[in-house]
PDB file of all heavy atoms in Angstrom:
ATOM      1  N   TRP A 189      43.644 -33.844 -22.319  1.00  0.00           N
ATOM      2  CA  TRP A 189      43.845 -35.170 -22.913  1.00  0.00           C
ATOM      3  C   TRP A 189      45.210 -35.729 -22.520  1.00  0.00           C
ATOM      4  O   TRP A 189      45.321 -36.909 -22.130  1.00  0.00           O
ATOM      5  CB  TRP A 189      43.750 -35.070 -24.431  1.00  0.00           C
ATOM      6  CG  TRP A 189      43.977 -36.372 -25.150  1.00  0.00           C
ATOM      7  CD1 TRP A 189      43.062 -37.339 -25.427  1.00  0.00           C
ATOM      8  CD2 TRP A 189      45.235 -36.842 -25.664  1.00  0.00           C
ATOM      9  NE1 TRP A 189      43.653 -38.386 -26.086  1.00  0.00           N
ATOM     10  CE2 TRP A 189      44.990 -38.114 -26.252  1.00  0.00           C
ATOM     11  CE3 TRP A 189      46.526 -36.318 -25.695  1.00  0.00           C
ATOM     12  CZ2 TRP A 189      45.992 -38.863 -26.851  1.00  0.00           C
ATOM     13  CZ3 TRP A 189      47.529 -37.072 -26.295  1.00  0.00           C
ATOM     14  CH2 TRP A 189      47.255 -38.327 -26.857  1.00  0.00           C
ATOM     15  N   PHE A 190      46.238 -34.896 -22.585  1.00  0.00           N
ATOM     16  CA  PHE A 190      47.600 -35.326 -22.221  1.00  0.00           C
ATOM     17  C   PHE A 190      47.677 -35.727 -20.742  1.00  0.00           C
ATOM     18  O   PHE A 190      48.321 -36.721 -20.396  1.00  0.00           O
ATOM     19  CB  PHE A 190      48.590 -34.196 -22.510  1.00  0.00           C
ATOM     20  CG  PHE A 190      50.012 -34.525 -22.156  1.00  0.00           C
ATOM     21  CD1 PHE A 190      50.754 -35.400 -22.945  1.00  0.00           C
ATOM     22  CD2 PHE A 190      50.602 -33.956 -21.034  1.00  0.00           C
ATOM     23  CE1 PHE A 190      52.072 -35.704 -22.610  1.00  0.00           C
ATOM     24  CE2 PHE A 190      51.910 -34.264 -20.697  1.00  0.00           C
ATOM     25  CZ  PHE A 190      52.652 -35.141 -21.485  1.00  0.00           C
ATOM     26  N   ILE A 191      47.011 -34.972 -19.884  1.00  0.00           N
ATOM     27  CA  ILE A 191      46.990 -35.285 -18.456  1.00  0.00           C
ATOM     28  C   ILE A 191      46.362 -36.657 -18.219  1.00  0.00           C
ATOM     29  O   ILE A 191      46.865 -37.462 -17.431  1.00  0.00           O
ATOM     30  CB  ILE A 191      46.201 -34.201 -17.674  1.00  0.00           C
ATOM     31  CG1 ILE A 191      46.983 -32.889 -17.658  1.00  0.00           C
ATOM     32  CG2 ILE A 191      45.915 -34.661 -16.239  1.00  0.00           C
ATOM     33  CD1 ILE A 191      46.188 -31.711 -17.126  1.00  0.00           C
ATOM     34  N   SER A 192      45.258 -36.930 -18.914  1.00  0.00           N
ATOM     35  CA  SER A 192      44.585 -38.220 -18.751  1.00  0.00           C
ATOM     36  C   SER A 192      45.459 -39.373 -19.223  1.00  0.00           C
ATOM     37  O   SER A 192      45.492 -40.436 -18.587  1.00  0.00           O
ATOM     38  CB  SER A 192      43.251 -38.221 -19.512  1.00  0.00           C
ATOM     39  OG  SER A 192      42.324 -37.349 -18.906  1.00  0.00           O
ATOM     40  N   VAL A 193      46.165 -39.194 -20.340  1.00  0.00           N
ATOM     41  CA  VAL A 193      47.064 -40.234 -20.842  1.00  0.00           C
ATOM     42  C   VAL A 193      48.164 -40.522 -19.818  1.00  0.00           C
ATOM     43  O   VAL A 193      48.461 -41.684 -19.492  1.00  0.00           O
ATOM     44  CB  VAL A 193      47.687 -39.820 -22.192  1.00  0.00           C
ATOM     45  CG1 VAL A 193      48.797 -40.792 -22.587  1.00  0.00           C
ATOM     46  CG2 VAL A 193      46.614 -39.777 -23.277  1.00  0.00           C
ATOM     47  N   CYS A 194      48.774 -39.453 -19.303  1.00  0.00           N
ATOM     48  CA  CYS A 194      49.828 -39.615 -18.294  1.00  0.00           C
ATOM     49  C   CYS A 194      49.281 -40.281 -17.030  1.00  0.00           C
ATOM     50  O   CYS A 194      49.950 -41.120 -16.409  1.00  0.00           O
ATOM     51  CB  CYS A 194      50.434 -38.252 -17.943  1.00  0.00           C
ATOM     52  SG  CYS A 194      51.404 -37.515 -19.273  1.00  0.00           S
ATOM     53  N   ALA A 195      48.058 -39.902 -16.641  1.00  0.00           N
ATOM     54  CA  ALA A 195      47.440 -40.473 -15.448  1.00  0.00           C
ATOM     55  C   ALA A 195      47.176 -41.964 -15.615  1.00  0.00           C
ATOM     56  O   ALA A 195      47.379 -42.749 -14.683  1.00  0.00           O
ATOM     57  CB  ALA A 195      46.140 -39.738 -15.125  1.00  0.00           C
ATOM     58  N   VAL A 196      46.731 -42.372 -16.811  1.00  0.00           N
ATOM     59  CA  VAL A 196      46.497 -43.795 -17.072  1.00  0.00           C
ATOM     60  C   VAL A 196      47.797 -44.584 -16.925  1.00  0.00           C
ATOM     61  O   VAL A 196      47.836 -45.639 -16.275  1.00  0.00           O
ATOM     62  CB  VAL A 196      45.897 -44.002 -18.482  1.00  0.00           C
ATOM     63  CG1 VAL A 196      45.961 -45.476 -18.892  1.00  0.00           C
ATOM     64  CG2 VAL A 196      44.451 -43.529 -18.513  1.00  0.00           C
ATOM     65  N   VAL A 197      48.876 -44.071 -17.502  1.00  0.00           N
ATOM     66  CA  VAL A 197      50.179 -44.737 -17.402  1.00  0.00           C
ATOM     67  C   VAL A 197      50.631 -44.788 -15.942  1.00  0.00           C
ATOM     68  O   VAL A 197      51.090 -45.836 -15.447  1.00  0.00           O
ATOM     69  CB  VAL A 197      51.231 -44.006 -18.256  1.00  0.00           C
ATOM     70  CG1 VAL A 197      52.625 -44.601 -18.025  1.00  0.00           C
ATOM     71  CG2 VAL A 197      50.856 -44.081 -19.736  1.00  0.00           C
ATOM     72  N   LEU A 198      50.495 -43.667 -15.243  1.00  0.00           N
ATOM     73  CA  LEU A 198      50.962 -43.576 -13.866  1.00  0.00           C
ATOM     74  C   LEU A 198      50.196 -44.514 -12.931  1.00  0.00           C
ATOM     75  O   LEU A 198      50.801 -45.271 -12.165  1.00  0.00           O
ATOM     76  CB  LEU A 198      50.845 -42.134 -13.374  1.00  0.00           C
ATOM     77  CG  LEU A 198      51.327 -41.857 -11.939  1.00  0.00           C
ATOM     78  CD1 LEU A 198      52.812 -42.178 -11.804  1.00  0.00           C
ATOM     79  CD2 LEU A 198      51.058 -40.407 -11.556  1.00  0.00           C
TER      80      LEU A 198
END
Side-chain angles (χ1 to χ4, degrees):
W189 178 86
F190 179 74
I191 290 170
S192 291
V193 170
C194 291
V196 166
V197 173
L198 181 61

